[in-house]
Amino acid sequence: MTAGPFTIALAGNPNVGKSTLFNALTGSRQHVGNWPGKTVEKKEGRTTINGRDIVVVDLPGTYSLAAHSVEEIIARDFIICERPQVIIVVVDAANLERNLYLACQILELETPAVLALNMSDEAHKRGVHLDPQALSAALGGIPVVETVGSRGIGLDALKAAIQTALAGSSQPFHLAYDALIEAGIARLAARIGAYPELTAVYPARWLALKLLEADTGIVAQLEREYPALIGAARTIAQNIAETLGDELEILIADQRYQFIGSVISASVTRTGRAQITPSERIDTILTHRIWGIPLFLALMWVVFQFTANVSAPFVDWIDGVISGPITRWASTLLTALGLGGSWVQSLVTDGIIAGVGGVLVFIPVLTFLYLAIALLEDSGYMARAAFIMDRVMRILGLHGKSFLPLLIGFGCTVPAIYATRTLEHEQDRKLTGFLATFMSCGARLPVYVVFASLFFGARAGNLIFALYLLGIVVAFVTGWIMKHLIYRGQPPHPFVMELPPYRLPTLSSVLRTIRGRIQEFVQRAFTIILACSVIIWLLMALPATLDWRDFNQVSISDSWFGAISGVAAPAFAPAGFGQPEAAGVLLSGFIAKEVIIGTISQIYGGETADEADSSTPSTLADDLREIVYTFGQAAVLTAQEAINILPRTANLLPGVDLPEANFLPLEAETDAASGQMNQALTQAFTPLSAVAFTVFVLLYVPCLTALTAMRLEFGVRWMLYQVVYTAAVAWVGAVAVYQGGLLLGLGGG
Amino acid sequence: MNTSRTLDHLMPGQTARVRRVGSAGALRRRLLDMGLVRGAEIEMLKRAPLGDPIEYRVRGYHLSLRQAEARMIEIEA
Ligand SMILES: Nc1nc2c(ncn2[C@@H]2O[C@H](COP(=O)(O)OP(=O)(O)O)[C@@H](O)[C@H]2O)c(=O)[nH]1
Ligand SMILES: [Mg+2]
C-alpha cells in the first residue's frame, strides 16, 4: 500500500444518514467549508482506521449519477473525477429498492466500495429483514454492513469493511444487461480502448455504458475532443434501440431496476403486512386537504417571528456592546497612545469597529433562521411545504420551496438570501433571491412610519399597507417577466420530489448545521463588509475640497459623500425630491436601511451624531457589568418574544385579545430632535413627494450586507443585475407616483 | 378501455403499473432514476391541498409529481 492520506467518501440518496455516519466516524475532527465556486457546504473530516489517518468527505445527497441539482452535480463530479479510494455507499435499509439504484451506478464505476445498510433499526421495525451476506454476494462480493448511524451501531464493522475495501480484494462489479446491449457495450469499450488517456481515468465498460445511455454530463465533456467516439456511440445506441423497440436510456434504467429486484428477492425477507407508519399518519394531518394550508401558514408565521422578532434582543445587545463599551475601550486605548480625537480614532471606531459590528449583528438573525430551517429540513416538513405551496409559487416561475425565503424577506433580506439554499436549482435560488428584496424588510418600516404619520396622520396605516402590497406586486411582475421573457422556452426543472418520512431532528445535528453556516457567513462576509465600511468612512472623512487639513473634520454635506449626493440629487427631481439632503439619506440607506432614520434626523434635524454617552466616563468594571447585565436582559427578552408568538398570532384572529408577556417594561425612547426634524421634513416634502420617496425606499437597491450575501451566493454579475434593476424600478416607480400625482392634481400642499 | 391512460388519472388509493415514460430530457431521466420504469407499481395517495402536485407511493417511498409530469407517464389500463 502507498503512504499518504487516503480519501473515502460517503455517498447516497438524501436523508439516509450520510452526515450522521460522517459525524460518528470523524467526531470533532471535521471542517466545514464550501465546494470550490459553489455555495454548497463541503464537510471534510479525519478518522483513524488501524492506525492510519484517513480523510472522510460527506457528499451531498443524490439519487443518481445523472446529476440534476447543484448538490447532485458536486457529488457526481467528486465520485467520477476525484475518485476517492473507497466510496461508502450509504443506503436506507428500509427503502432499499430505490437506494440500490445509485449503489449500482457507483459499483459500475469499479471503485472499491462498501455498502452501509443504515437505518437498519427502522427496517427491522417495519418487518424488513436483510441478509448482508446474500446482498454482498449478489453485488459482486463488496463488503456489506448493517449500521444504525444515529446510535453509532456498526461503526467498527464499517471501519473493518473500509479496511477490506482498501485492500482491494473484490473483483469489479458488472451488471449483466440484455445480450444485445452487452454486445454494444463490448464494441464501444473496444473503441474506447484506443484512447489510453480516457481509460486511465474511466473504466472502459463504464464509459461505454454512459455514452450509450447518452449521459448528458459525460457527452458534454467528451463531445468536442472525441466526436468520432460520440458518433460511434450514437450509431450503436440507435441500432440497439431500433431492434429492441425502445431508447437505450429507458432500457438500461429498466434493467438496472430488474437487477435490483433480483438482488432484493435474494436477500430481503418481509414479515408481517405493510402497515400505515406513524409518519404517514402525521402526514394525513399536515398535508390535509383543508388543514394543510392553515397549518403551513401558521408554521411559516412562527419561522418568520423567530428570525424577525425573537432574534431582535440579541441584535440590539450586540449592537449596544459594540457601539458602547467596545468603542469606548478602543477610544480609551487610542487616547492613551496619544491618538485621541485623531482620524485614526475615527477610522477605528467609525470604520473598522462599525464594520465588524455590521457583520456580527447578523449572527442572531442567522442563528434563528438556520435553527428554523434545520428543524424544517431534518423533520421532513420542508418537502411538504414545497408540496403545499408549489401550485402558487409556480405562477412566478418558482418552486414551492421559494415561499419561505420570500416570507423571511419581510424581516430581513440577508437571511432571505441564505434561505434560498433550501432550493435545489441554481436558477430557482437566484430568482427567489432576486425577488426577495422586494419584500419590504423590517428596517424600511420606520421610514414609512415617519413619513406616513407626518403627512397622513390617521391614514398612515393605509400608506404603509399599500407600500407592502406594492413590493409584492413588483415581485410578482418581475417574476412573471423573468419567466415569460428571460427564461422563455426553457423547460422547467423537473419538480419530481421525494417526500421523506418524518423524523425527529436531533439536537446535535441541528447545532452542527447552525454552527457551520454561521462560521461560513462570518468568514466570507467579514472582509467584504469591513472593506466597504472603511470605504464609506473614507468618503465621509474626505473633504470635497480635497483640502487635507480638513481630513476627518468636515460635516457630511462638505465631504465626498455630500458631493456625491449633490451630483446624484438632480436625478430625483422628477420624483419630487431633488434636494441633496434626500439623496444623502438614500445613499446612507444603501449602507444599511436601519440608518436612514438616523441620517434623516442628522441631516434634517440638525442633530449631531450620537455622542451622548461618550461624555459619561465609565470604568472597565462598569462596562463589564453593563455587558453582562444587558446580555441577561437580551436573554429574557428573547424568551419573551418567543412566548409572545402565541398571543400575537392568536390576536390576528378577529375577536381574540390575549395579553402579551412583558417581563421587562422598557421605557419608550424620546427623541428631542424629532420636533425639529419633522418641521424640516414638512418643508422639504409635499405629501405627494413623501409618497414617492417611500416608494423609492421600498424598491431601491438592497443594503450592503444583502448585496454582499448576493455576491457570495449568486456571483458578482447577478448582484450587479440586482443593483441596476432595483435602481431602475425604484426610480421609475417614484417618478410615476410623483408625475402621476401631479397629473391628477395631487401636487398641491 | 382507453389504451393510453396516464398517471394523473389515478384516483386516491388506486394502483397501476407503469407502461412507459413519455417525455424526454432531464424530466425523463429523473423519472427513470426515481424508479418509474416499465412495470413499476405505483399508487396514487393524494393531491396537494391546492389540487397539484400529486403524491404517489412507488417502490416503498413517497414521491410527489406535478400533474403535468404525471401526465407524461403512461400506465397499463
Ligand atoms: N432511525 C434511524 N435514524 C437515523 C439513522 N441514521 C440517521 N438517522 C436520522 O436520519 C436523519 C437524516 O440523517 P442525515 O445524516 O442528516 O442524512 P443525510 O441527508 O444522508 O446526511 C437524521 O434525523 C438522523 O438522526 C439510523 O440508522 N436510524
Ligand atoms: Mg447530509
Side-chain angles (χ1 to χ4, degrees), chain A residues 238-248 250-251, chain B residues 20 38:
Chain A
Q238 223 153 29
N239 286 339
I240 300 175
E242 268 161 32
T243 318
L244 295 181
D246 225 335
E247 279 166 76
L248 262 188
I250 295 181
L251 293 170
Chain B
R20 205 191 127 78
R38 188 195 329 250

Side-chain angles (χ1 to χ4, degrees), chain A residues 312-367:
Chain A
F314 275 106
V315 171
D316 292 342
W317 177 73
I318 291 179
D319 194 32
V321 168
I322 288 180
S323 64
I326 305 257
T327 304
R328 279 201 294 272
W329 295 343
S331 302
T332 312
L333 191 69
L334 290 168
T335 309
L337 294 172
L339 293 167
S342 72
W343 66 267
V344 177
Q345 181 190 348
S346 170
L347 168 65
V348 170
T349 55
D350 301 339
I352 295 173
I353 294 182
V356 171
V359 176
L360 296 185
V361 289
F362 281 98
I363 291 180
V365 181
L366 291 176
T367 301

